[in-house]
Amino acid sequence: MDDLFSSEDDDHLLDLDYHPYARKRPLSSSLYSDEYEETDEESNRQKLYLVSYRWWKEAQRSVADQIGGVLYTVLSNNDDADSEIVLDLRKEESSGTRDKAGEVASGREYALVNEALWLRTLKWHNDRKTSEEDARYPFVAEDQSQEVFALLIRLSFSPETNSLLVKISLKDNTVDLYRRACSIFSYQSELFQIWDFSGQTSQFVMNEMINLPNISPGKLGKEILLELHVHGFFVSTNDTNERLTEWSKTENSFGKSRVKTNKSSDNPSTYLTLTDALLSGTGYRGIGLLGLTGLQNLGNTCFMNSAIQCLVHTPQLVDYFLGDYQKDINYENPLGMNGELALAFGELLRKLWAPGAMPVAPRMFKFKLAKFAPQFSGYNQHDSQEFLAFLLDGLHEDLNRVKCKPYIEAKDAEGRPGEEVADEYWQNHLARNDSIIVDVCQGQYRSILVCHICKKVSVTFDPFMYLTLPLPSTTMRTMTVTVFSSDGIVLPTPFTVTVPKCGRLKDLVDTLSVACSLRNDETLLVAEIFKNQIFRLLDEPSDSLALIRDADKLVAYRLPKVNETYPLVVFSHQQLKRPYSFGVMASNWKPFGVPVVARIQDFSSGSEIRNQFLKLLSPFLMPVEDVVNDYDGDETGNTINENSKMEDIVSSSVPDSDAGSDSGAENDFHLNAGFKFYLVNKMEPVEIKMNEPVPISRFTKKLDISIHWSDKMIEKYDTCLLSSLPEVFKPQLFTGRPQESISLYKCLQGFLQEEPLGPDDMWYCPRCKKPRQANKKLDLWRLPEILVIHLKRFSYSRFFKNKLETYVDFPIHDLNLSNYISHIDGQISNCYQLYAISNHYGGMGGGHYTAFVDYGHGRWYEFDDDRVFAVNEDRIKTSAAYVLFYRRVREV
């Protein structure tokens, strides 16, 4: 094999910080392959930690797969302890388990572990301590600092004694660190033991044994420089500051300095001593709360940070990625990412769980992610659920234990028990997919399809990674629509109705018909008004209400059903711009008011159109006294006869049929002077003559007529009322929509209810041998340990995007799905507890993601990118909840 420790360095030094994943890469790659580069040098190093064996062993009692180690008996040779400590490590033949090793008189036993195992053990102790002390110390001594310090040691192999020599020198370490080492290791001629669970010493010895012919007799092998992190060894000193000052004066003299240790005959209270906690192996002070490390926002990466924080606080995933997960990496899976995504995620998780960590910048993780998912490259905004789905699928493929996926043909389920078919589908799935993601996050549901034509029933059982629950269509919205009557009596009236937010136009018409007391012989024609014109007629009952925005303005015209076959006439209003000259055409006229409509049968003369228009305007006539006051005097100050004014007002509003021939002629003169009617077509407007037929085709279904108003007519009619039209919904100042609330169970019912598949989602019927419409029904069959629920807040249509702000009332401690699962297994609990939430604040155009995480015992924290702070449990339920993370708990 290659000499993994060869070096061309003149001092014969080599860094033993092995790459943690080198041995798991393909065989063609060497341990220090240049193909694997990291921007962060620290992520390339396998750190070693020295801890108390008892402290390490306590956590291992809860681990099913016990880790074997190599046992060394250590003799401390400290003839020159003032400048160097020498430890002689000799392997015991009874290595492997603790029970075979002999007891050491001093009771001093230590463990050598890698960073991942250290973090895993540290988390176990931290969790236990937080649980035990939760009642007394809700935040678990966060003010205490844990002693973790690094020593530079030199490791070499002695062929004569077949042992390892470890040198801790003042030359390689600061004075403070060296005197700590003296307090731990400088017991003259006293034996102690070290268990190596990292495997690094065995690898080093094996390499040195291969190189024995190159080692001169009586000499040691090559020395390597190793950074050893020491954790849990507390030293105490009186007069610490004074001694530090004294020692700092000799720090640069290396071997010439005189170091006093606890073996000195001087007063030991002046110097470093080992605490009782070290000897007992217990009583380590808490290292503070682990896992409360934020993620820096690299630019619109809050979606990624939110989802990652939820995943890295999933208990099963934390334990897995703090362990030896590299053994499961599948480098041969063409659907995977060569293990790079799993490695990047594992490194990121360990950084987030490292004690005392500063906010982490996930640049390397994002780089690896974008390499395989270009849609997440750059700094655009993304959906956290879409990112989560890709990440879980990518981790599964990278960690899939199945190297070669077998081809399995699904059998027909017809005539067989559901339990038998479900188990067969599940075993077929596991034969091709076996990873920690499948173990923890995947469940199974039953899908039933029934053909509309032949009634063929198809039953399949499919896996799921998460549940996407639609917010039921009973989620409502309020809409204001102004109803115009065509009877010439009732003024326009606005009605505010409540309709399904995802409903159809038919729902709006039906609700509005009830609100305005629509008669059986009437119908409603809904239209959208824009810039005083009918922008579009909403006459298709199946049109979605989502196409109607809150800022739109809607009217509904009450029309007789008997006239539905007659052409629809739309009267739009025009008035002169100022300055003006009455009679000037087109360019000086501008629209105003809301158009009125009617269905007309007789177009033999323009007067029929005029009469129908005047009838529609009747409700807008100003009260007589108001008009009289306007004419109390003319411009010259002369008084006008009141009777003549009244006659003028009344006569202008009376149709020809209600007056004599003389008065009719006079009315024609007044009306012709007050209103002018123009037929609008693709060419130029054509004026409609009162005593001539209207120039239209008998096949015309809709006429647009423009009415030019004189100032005199504008004064006689309430044009302000004619122009008043409210928006569909306009929030009041400092108020918003009424808070809509719906239960999570209601969302689940909507997900499980039977629904027809539309024409765009046809199903290929195996009996009909062609695509058919069918009814589809989903049932939950097998639930995962970790249940991820995605609330479908975002909806997309051809024209618009929308976000539902509905408040979903979800359980925190007692989500019980026993009534929603079709297959009940009495040995498996169907109860879940919430432990994380991915939140989205804002709308479609822009927003921000955060995460809520349960740290245990009702202590919740909010992760807002690099900011982490405590939050009360009663504040985690908001309308921003987007993805919910539940873990299975035992039924109460």
Side-chain angles (χ1 to χ4, degrees):
M1 61 181 293
D2 295 336
D3 186 356
L4 302 181
F5 301 95
S6 61
S7 174
E8 299 299 329
D9 187 81
D10 293 338
D11 294 332
H12 304 291
L13 298 179
L14 184 67
D15 195 341
L16 191 59
D17 289 339
Y18 304 128
H19 190 293
Y21 312 122
R23 61 186 180 90
K24 297 299 181 183
R25 294 184 60 78
L27 296 177
S28 59
S29 298
S30 64
L31 182 62
Y32 295 103
S33 172
D34 293 335
E35 296 176 358
Y36 192 92
E37 295 182 357
E38 296 280 358
T39 56
D40 185 3
E41 182 182 356
E42 187 67 21
S43 63
N44 280 340
R45 298 181 177 273
Q46 173 75 337
K47 297 179 180 178
L48 292 180
Y49 287 79
L50 184 70
V51 298
S52 164
Y53 177 84
R54 187 181 300 180
W55 180 81
W56 154 261
K57 195 62 177 178
E58 284 178 356
Q60 300 313 303
R61 294 189 184 122
S62 66
V63 180
D65 50 339
Q66 296 291 326
I67 301 174
V70 178
L71 177 63
Y72 292 95
T73 298
V74 184
L75 176 63
S76 179
N77 183 9
N78 301 314
D79 295 334
D80 190 15
D82 290 344
S83 60
E84 186 177 63
I85 303 172
V86 180
L87 303 178
D88 188 354
L89 282 68
R90 300 194 180 189
K91 181 179 178 181
E92 293 288 341
E93 296 300 329
S94 58
S95 298
T97 62
R98 167 66 171 80
D99 296 334
K100 295 180 182 179
E103 293 289 343
V104 178
S106 65
R108 299 173 63 205
E109 293 178 283
Y110 308 126
L112 189 65
V113 297
N114 59 31
E115 183 182 27
L117 296 180
W118 173 72
L119 282 174
R120 192 174 181 180
T121 308
L122 186 65
K123 181 179 180 297
W124 185 90
H125 280 279
N126 188 80
D127 291 346
R128 188 185 69 167
K129 190 171 182 63
T130 57
S131 176
E132 293 175 351
E133 300 188 0
D134 180 63
R136 293 178 297 165
Y137 308 105
F139 295 97
V140 195
E142 290 180 277
D143 58 328
Q144 298 184 18
S145 60
Q146 178 68 33
E147 291 288 346
V148 181
F149 59 94
L151 289 173
L152 286 178
I153 65 175
R154 294 172 184 264
L155 182 65
S156 60
F157 177 68
S158 175
E160 293 184 355
T161 60
N162 195 28
S163 63
L164 290 173
L165 293 181
V166 176
K167 297 180 181 179
I168 307 174
S169 174
L170 180 60
K171 177 181 178 181
D172 299 324
N173 299 277
T174 64
V175 173
D176 179 52
L177 294 180
Y178 181 71
R179 64 176 181 172
R180 294 187 183 198
C182 291
S183 299
I184 299 171
F185 301 113
S186 60
Y187 287 81
Q188 186 69 30
S189 301
E190 184 176 303
L191 294 176
F192 60 93
Q193 291 181 330
I194 293 180
W195 283 85
D196 178 19
F197 297 102
S198 70
Q200 299 231 14
T201 58
S202 298
Q203 188 176 9
F204 175 70
V205 171
M206 183 182 302
N207 184 77
E208 290 298 288
M209 294 293 290
I210 294 175
N211 295 329
L212 277 178
N214 300 327
I215 301 177
S216 302
K219 291 189 177 181
L220 300 177
K222 296 179 181 179
E223 285 187 343
I224 64 170
L225 190 64
L226 175 66
E227 187 176 72
L228 179 67
H229 296 261
V230 182
H231 165 238
F233 297 86
F234 285 91
V235 291
S236 62
T237 179
N238 297 328
D239 195 20
T240 301
N241 294 332
E242 180 178 334
R243 298 303 300 171
L244 282 174
T245 304
E246 179 182 344
W247 278 65
S248 63
K249 296 178 181 178
T250 60
E251 183 174 357
N252 295 327
S253 59
F254 299 109
K256 296 181 181 180
S257 61
R258 303 294 299 174
V259 181
K260 293 186 178 181
T261 65
N262 60 355
K263 65 174 184 172
S264 172
S265 60
D266 295 342
N267 185 0
S269 63
T270 309
Y271 303 101
L272 297 176
T273 59
L274 203 60
T275 61
D276 295 336
L278 172 63
L279 296 177
S280 64
T282 60
Y284 292 129
R285 287 185 294 170
I287 201 166
L289 294 181
L290 302 177
L292 299 183
T293 304
L295 287 165
Q296 294 181 14
N297 193 320
L298 305 179
N300 281 332
T301 57
C302 57
F303 74 94
M304 181 178 72
N305 294 347
S306 173
I308 288 176
Q309 291 291 4
C310 294
L311 283 184
V312 301
H313 288 88
T314 300
Q316 293 91 330
L317 295 184
V318 175
D319 292 339
Y320 177 79
F321 281 98
L322 290 183
D324 187 17
Y325 71 93
Q326 299 90 346
K327 69 179 184 301
D328 290 336
I329 291 180
N330 190 338
Y331 293 104
E332 304 171 4
N333 189 356
L335 301 178
M337 302 168 199
N338 200 31
E340 293 188 38
L341 184 64
L343 293 174
F345 180 79
E347 280 301 297
L348 181 59
L349 182 144
R350 293 180 179 187
K351 289 180 180 178
L352 293 174
W353 278 94
M358 299 295 289
V360 176
R363 291 188 180 89
M364 181 52 61
F365 175 82
K366 186 177 184 299
F367 171 76
K368 296 294 185 182
L369 177 71
K371 183 178 179 180
F372 297 97
Q375 66 268 30
F376 295 114
S377 62
Y379 301 96
N380 295 325
Q381 297 182 10
H382 293 281
D383 188 299
S384 69
Q385 188 273 332
E386 293 179 0
F387 164 77
L388 178 68
F390 173 84
L391 179 57
L392 288 176
D393 187 64
L395 291 176
H396 159 66
E397 296 296 349
D398 266 3
L399 299 170
N400 195 349
R401 305 179 187 104
V402 179
K403 307 303 180 184
C404 182
K405 296 184 178 183
Y407 172 76
I408 302 175
E409 185 175 355
K411 300 178 182 179
D412 192 356
E414 190 171 358
R416 295 196 290 161
E419 292 80 2
E420 176 186 334
V421 178
D423 289 342
E424 179 182 285
Y425 270 83
W426 187 248
Q427 293 305 319
N428 291 345
H429 175 67
L430 295 182
R432 296 172 54 86
N433 303 275
D434 182 17
S435 70
I436 181 64
I437 304 301
V438 175
D439 298 341
V440 173
C441 298
Q442 286 196 359
Q444 187 183 38
Y445 62 78
R446 177 177 63 185
S447 175
I448 302 177
L449 289 168
V450 181
C451 177
H452 285 182
I453 305 301
C454 69
K455 306 304 178 182
K456 164 70 176 177
V457 178
S458 173
V459 179
T460 57
F461 293 84
D462 302 308
F464 67 86
M465 193 90 73
Y466 50 86
L467 297 179
T468 296
L469 303 187
L471 301 187
S473 58
T474 52
T475 302
M476 312 300 284
R477 68 181 290 195
T478 57
M479 301 181 69
T480 299
V481 183
T482 303
V483 177
F484 278 69
S485 178
S486 60
D487 59 5
I489 300 174
V490 182
L491 285 169
T493 306
F495 290 91
T496 300
V497 295
T498 303
V499 294
K501 188 173 289 187
C502 299
R504 303 292 176 180
L505 180 65
K506 183 180 183 299
D507 300 321
L508 175 62
V509 173
D510 292 344
T511 307
L512 194 61
S513 299
V514 175
C516 69
S517 302
L518 191 73
R519 299 194 305 268
N520 293 333
D521 60 347
E522 291 181 314
T523 185
L524 287 178
L525 178 63
V526 182
E528 179 183 345
I529 306 300
F530 180 69
K531 292 185 177 180
N532 306 108
Q533 303 288 335
I534 292 181
F535 179 69
R536 58 173 175 156
L537 292 175
L538 305 178
D539 53 1
E540 180 56 51
S542 62
D543 282 350
S544 173
L545 293 181
L547 299 176
I548 302 175
R549 297 169 296 184
D550 287 347
D552 293 341
K553 296 182 178 181
L554 297 185
V555 297
Y557 299 104
R558 298 179 67 151
L559 300 173
K561 284 185 178 179
V562 68
N563 297 336
E564 285 183 336
T565 58
Y566 300 161
L568 181 70
V569 181
V570 178
F571 299 98
S572 58
H573 316 288
Q574 302 273 336
Q575 66 179 356
L576 276 172
K577 300 177 182 178
R578 295 181 183 275
Y580 68 91
S581 174
F582 187 70
V584 179
M585 296 299 295
S587 61
N588 287 333
W589 292 88
K590 65 177 182 179
F592 76 97
V594 179
V596 292
V597 303
R599 291 192 181 273
I600 301 177
Q601 179 184 16
D602 187 4
F603 294 94
S604 59
S605 67
S607 60
E608 293 295 332
I609 293 179
R610 178 197 63 188
N611 293 340
Q612 184 63 48
F613 176 69
L614 292 177
K615 179 182 178 181
L616 296 175
L617 283 188
S618 294
F620 298 95
L621 273 172
M622 295 284 287
V624 174
E625 57 272 15
D626 292 344
V627 179
V628 170
N629 292 335
D630 291 340
Y631 283 87
D632 282 345
D634 59 9
E635 293 180 357
T636 61
N638 298 326
T639 302
I640 302 177
N641 182 272
E642 184 174 329
N643 291 332
S644 65
K645 291 181 291 184
M646 289 293 297
E647 292 173 359
D648 191 31
I649 295 171
V650 174
S651 63
S652 65
S653 62
V654 178
D656 291 285
S657 59
D658 295 336
S661 58
D662 294 339
S663 62
E666 184 178 357
N667 288 339
D668 284 344
F669 172 79
H670 286 300
L671 291 172
N672 290 337
F675 295 111
K676 287 187 179 295
F677 297 78
Y678 293 88
L679 183 63
V680 180
N681 53 36
K682 295 182 180 180
M683 307 298 290
E684 294 183 357
V686 177
E687 185 175 357
I688 299 175
K689 305 297 183 180
M690 293 299 100
N691 296 321
E692 297 180 8
V694 180
I696 64 170
S697 169
R698 63 175 181 172
F699 301 106
T700 301
K701 295 183 178 180
K702 179 174 176 290
L703 266 69
D704 291 311
I705 296 178
S706 177
I707 315 297
H708 289 190
W709 290 54
S710 68
D711 283 353
K712 185 177 181 180
M713 292 299 105
I714 289 177
E715 292 173 351
K716 290 183 178 182
Y717 289 91
D718 190 348
T719 55
C720 292
L721 184 60
L722 184 63
S723 302
S724 177
L725 193 63
E727 297 177 353
V728 169
F729 180 83
K730 187 173 184 179
Q732 301 298 318
L733 189 62
F734 303 119
T735 63
R737 291 181 182 271
Q739 182 68 58
E740 302 171 14
S741 176
I742 192 168
S743 168
L744 182 66
Y745 293 112
K746 188 70 174 179
C747 298
L748 190 59
Q749 292 173 6
F751 173 76
L752 298 176
Q753 70 181 3
E754 184 176 354
E755 61 178 358
L757 299 179
D760 297 333
D761 193 16
M762 304 282 277
W763 168 62
Y764 184 84
C765 177
R767 182 178 294 172
C768 297
K769 304 298 182 181
K770 60 176 60 178
R772 296 291 192 188
Q773 286 189 279
N775 283 356
K776 183 177 182 180
K777 176 72 168 65
L778 294 178
D779 296 307
L780 296 178
W781 192 267
R782 189 189 310 267
L783 295 176
E785 291 296 315
I786 297 298
L787 180 62
V788 180
I789 297 179
H790 165 223
L791 301 177
K792 195 174 181 180
R793 293 195 176 276
F794 298 102
S795 60
Y796 304 90
S797 67
R798 183 177 179 183
F799 303 102
F800 300 105
K801 299 178 181 179
N802 186 38
K803 181 190 175 185
L804 303 178
E805 297 287 353
T806 305
Y807 173 82
V808 178
D809 186 10
F810 48 86
I812 297 179
H813 301 287
D814 52 357
L815 175 64
N816 193 332
L817 299 181
S818 298
N819 295 331
Y820 299 91
I821 186 169
S822 298
H823 176 63
I824 302 295
D825 187 343
Q827 298 180 350
I828 301 177
S829 170
N830 297 315
C831 294
Y832 288 84
Q833 180 173 330
L834 185 72
Y835 72 90
I837 307 172
S838 177
N839 303 300
H840 179 268
Y841 299 92
M844 295 296 300
H848 182 61
Y849 287 94
T850 67
F852 290 136
V853 171
D854 178 21
Y855 199 78
H857 308 283
R859 290 174 300 170
W860 286 82
Y861 286 84
E862 181 171 4
F863 291 77
D864 185 358
D865 287 333
D866 58 347
R867 299 187 304 136
V868 181
F869 44 87
V871 61
N872 292 331
E873 185 177 273
D874 56 2
R875 295 184 59 188
I876 66 172
K877 285 188 178 184
T878 69
S879 59
Y882 184 43
V883 184
L884 308 175
F885 293 77
Y886 284 90
R887 59 181 178 87
R888 192 195 301 272
V889 294
R890 288 185 294 181
E891 296 185 24
V892 180

